[in-house]
Amino acid sequence: SPLLRCLVLVLLSVGLVHATDDAPLLDCSTRRGLQECRTIGQDCKRDEITNQDNQKVVRITFPMKEHQVQFPCSKPFERPPIVIPSVKGSDGSTKLFAASMRSVTSESFTVNVQRVDDLDSPEMDCADIEICYVAVVM
């Protein structure tokens, strides 16, 4: 389709960058876009509760979490980019995550992340997750 061809051409011309914590900030005002992966914390919530036997136990849940991600820019994009997010779990994990965009500005975006796998024997350990995204100014 013409839209897909246009997106591929834009992605080829963007000059993608993989930002890290120690990487210098970019002047995004002159960029067409960027790519980045960064850790956004653990995929779970731990609560200490008292069970029916009056014992302290840790309850692990996997709630939807909202994350605000600042673009690694010293100057913001000219206008809000289109952001395509993906959530990456630990290597070898069977966990499945969904990401939905809440808002995008020229300086940051906010994304909801939710664990969505439904298995007979799910992984119940907490693990760090990453948000990987491509941001493209059209």
Side-chain angles (χ1 to χ4, degrees), residues 17-101:
V17 173
H18 183 90
T20 61
D21 290 338
D22 57 351
L25 294 178
L26 306 168
D27 178 357
C28 293
S29 65
T30 59
R31 296 184 66 85
R32 297 281 310 271
L34 60 86
Q35 175 269 328
E36 177 186 36
C37 289
R38 76 167 64 163
T39 300
I40 55 173
Q42 293 209 313
D43 61 355
C44 68
K45 181 180 177 195
R46 296 173 194 242
D47 295 309
E48 188 173 295
I49 62 169
T50 304
N51 66 12
Q52 64 271 17
D53 297 329
N54 210 28
Q55 299 168 322
K56 298 275 186 192
V57 294
V58 175
R59 177 177 61 185
I60 297 176
T61 58
F62 297 91
M64 185 279 300
K65 292 185 175 184
E66 181 178 292
H67 301 276
Q68 184 175 34
V69 178
Q70 298 290 323
F71 296 121
C73 303
S74 59
K75 295 181 184 175
F77 287 109
E78 180 182 322
R79 57 187 169 276
I82 295 170
V83 177
I84 304 168
S86 179
V87 180
K88 181 181 173 194
S90 58
D91 290 340
S93 174
T94 60
K95 294 178 184 177
L96 178 65
F97 299 93
S100 59
M101 299 299 298

Side-chain angles (χ1 to χ4, degrees), residues 78-127:
E78 180 182 322
R79 57 187 169 276
I82 295 170
V83 177
I84 304 168
S86 179
V87 180
K88 181 181 173 194
S90 58
D91 290 340
S93 174
T94 60
K95 294 178 184 177
L96 178 65
F97 299 93
S100 59
M101 299 299 298
R102 288 189 49 90
S103 65
V104 180
T105 70
S106 59
E107 297 176 353
S108 68
F109 67 91
T110 303
V111 63
N112 289 335
V113 175
Q114 173 73 59
R115 182 175 173 184
V116 295
D117 56 287
D118 186 16
L119 304 170
D120 292 334
S121 300
E123 287 183 52
M124 294 303 291
D125 296 329
C126 296

